[in-house]
Amino acid sequence: MRKTIDQLGLLQIDSVNVLVRAQYVPLFSRLGVYNRTTLDALLAKKPRRYFEYWGHEASLLPVDCHPLLRWRMASAYQGKGIWSSLEAYAGRKRAEAEALLNRIEAEGPLAASDLPGTKASKGMWVWSEAKHALEWLFWAGLITSTHRRNSFEKVYDLPGRVLPESILQQPTPADDDAKRALLARAAQAMGIATADDLRDYYRIPANDARLPLEQLIEEGTVLPVDVNGWQQPAYLHKNARAGRRIEGQALLSPFDPLIWYRPRTERLFGFRYRLEIYTPAHKREYGYYVLPFLLDGSLVARVDLKADRKNGILIVQRLHTEPDAPPYTVERLMGELRLMAAWLNLPDIVLVNDGGR
């Protein structure tokens, strides 16, 4: 499990829980059935091996990545590179944020719900003032997440009480050095990638990625290569293994590193994929929470899944196969759905609509 996370470089977190929390699925896709509490225990084990921060969106990352992301924390401290709703806490509302920081220092960990008057009026993204302040402190690296309460609510504490001292005492690298190291990690995770693929992995701005990428080429960490059918130059990590035929199958989370950058997904697989969670229901083409199906190295189908935990049912709301899918696709897909249902402790599978395609 540790080897897989370290190879990927991070696990993305997302609030949607219609099937299962996003961080669990990439390991299922690669390792098969495993106990999710084992991952929870690994993430909580002390001294901490992993921490939560903005890697590729909200992410769980190895702690040795902390120094490499301090440039992002420093930018957030100045009110740059963050959501506009948080910018005031780097300026005119900083005193409010510092008051919360002082309270955490004096009283210990707290969540937004521990503060009076913090409950959002409606909607999961309608945050209180205190929650905004806490998130700015988190983005600026002044506090970190110690754990998640009730499956998702973030509990904040001082980094010195959560992260290993050996990590916090490491010197902060120069910005270009940090971004070069992040691009190298991205290249190792992907094997072969374009410049846009590489910088998207840890969300490095395009202008900031040019010099570090040139340095990686000069030092031989990545090798410029041409890929048939790709219009952009590509870069091969020096440790990437030679290509071989891939056999097997896996259901992929919408937040899996293999497919989260949609242009790369189209380039690699000829598979156009969009997350339709925020698309009005009547305009959705494939469904609310759609998982692509990888079969023998190709994306050949997609399924809209929902976990009915109360009744123990994995609901397949829609099932679509691609025009060039092999004739045994549905059979192999159903096998993987049975495996996923067993992993999620859902005894039954119900197919609502096969999509007719």
Side-chain angles (χ1 to χ4, degrees):
M1 191 176 290
R2 290 196 302 267
K3 182 179 178 181
T4 301
I5 298 172
D6 291 346
Q7 171 63 29
L8 293 174
L10 73 169
L11 296 174
Q12 187 173 341
I13 304 170
D14 190 79
S15 59
V16 176
N17 196 26
V18 66
L19 178 67
V20 64
R21 296 291 183 194
Q23 68 267 26
Y24 295 111
V25 185
L27 294 180
F28 169 76
S29 302
R30 289 156 178 80
L31 304 177
V33 173
Y34 73 95
N35 190 331
R36 281 169 285 153
T37 60
T38 303
L39 176 60
D40 296 336
L42 175 62
L43 297 174
K45 185 178 180 180
K46 297 181 179 179
R48 291 291 180 91
R49 294 176 178 266
Y50 305 95
F51 76 111
E52 182 176 336
Y53 190 62
W54 293 98
H56 180 97
E57 301 298 326
S59 305
L60 295 162
L61 306 113
V63 290
D64 64 358
C65 206
H66 186 277
L68 305 181
L69 290 166
R70 289 178 191 161
W71 59 271
R72 182 165 288 158
M73 298 174 191
S75 293
Y77 185 80
Q78 298 173 8
K80 301 175 182 177
I82 58 178
W83 296 330
S84 59
S85 59
L86 304 183
E87 291 173 358
Y89 296 94
R92 60 184 176 85
K93 291 186 176 182
R94 179 168 292 194
E96 298 175 28
E98 290 177 346
L100 279 176
L101 179 61
N102 292 335
R103 178 170 175 177
I104 293 172
E105 183 176 9
E107 300 178 14
L110 62 78
S113 62
D114 296 328
L115 301 169
T118 62
K119 189 176 179 64
S121 58
K122 60 178 180 178
M124 62 182 300
W125 296 116
V126 182
W127 285 355
S128 66
E129 287 290 314
K131 174 63 175 175
H132 280 90
L134 288 167
E135 279 301 304
W136 175 75
L137 290 168
F138 174 80
W139 213 315
L142 299 174
I143 58 176
T144 191
S145 173
T146 176
H147 64 283
R148 293 261 182 172
R149 181 189 295 169
N150 299 326
S151 298
F152 203 72
E153 187 186 23
K154 196 182 298 179
V155 179
Y156 307 87
D157 201 357
L158 301 181
R161 296 201 288 240
V162 178
L163 304 179
E165 185 67 18
S166 60
I167 295 294
L168 296 176
Q169 290 300 320
Q170 286 187 16
T172 299
D175 286 6
D176 284 343
D177 293 341
K179 291 163 187 172
R180 183 172 66 252
L182 291 172
L183 290 171
R185 291 182 181 220
Q188 187 165 15
M190 289 187 281
I192 193 167
T194 67
D196 285 343
D197 299 339
L198 292 172
R199 69 177 188 81
D200 176 77
Y201 210 83
Y202 289 99
R203 295 295 169 87
I204 298 173
N207 290 337
D208 294 355
R210 291 192 184 99
L211 178 59
L213 180 56
E214 290 173 1
Q215 293 170 336
L216 287 175
I217 296 168
E218 184 177 349
E219 70 186 31
T221 299
V222 298
L223 312 172
V225 294
D226 293 323
V227 179
N228 291 336
W230 288 20
Q231 296 180 353
Q232 296 174 291
Y235 303 94
L236 180 73
H237 191 274
K238 65 178 182 179
N239 295 331
R241 289 185 290 182
R244 58 187 175 85
R245 181 174 176 80
I246 299 174
E247 296 181 348
Q249 59 275 337
L251 286 161
L252 302 174
S253 161
F255 308 102
D256 192 292
L258 181 61
I259 58 170
W260 65 23
Y261 187 51
R262 311 311 185 200
R264 176 176 168 84
T265 305
E266 293 186 34
R267 207 182 317 117
L268 284 175
F269 300 106
F271 186 90
R272 188 180 187 279
Y273 177 55
R274 298 293 184 273
L275 190 62
E276 297 182 287
I277 289 174
Y278 303 109
T279 302
H282 68 281
K283 293 184 178 180
R284 290 178 192 142
E285 185 176 5
Y286 296 107
Y288 179 81
Y289 198 75
V290 175
L291 280 70
F293 180 54
L294 181 70
L295 176 62
D296 298 339
S298 299
L299 292 176
V300 297
R302 57 190 97 198
V303 283
D304 181 17
L305 299 181
K306 179 178 181 180
D308 180 350
R309 300 175 185 89
K310 181 178 180 180
N311 296 304
I313 301 172
L314 177 62
I315 302 174
V316 183
Q317 302 193 107
R318 296 187 191 179
L319 187 161
H320 298 264
T321 57
E322 295 298 293
D324 56 351
Y328 49 82
T329 293
V330 173
E331 178 184 356
R332 297 275 290 274
L333 173 57
M334 291 307 299
E336 196 67 13
L337 287 170
R338 284 191 287 271
L339 195 67
M340 174 171 275
W343 174 57
L344 297 176
N345 298 313
L346 303 172
D348 297 318
I349 299 175
V350 172
L351 180 62
V352 176
N353 179 10
D354 67 5
R357 195 174 356 161

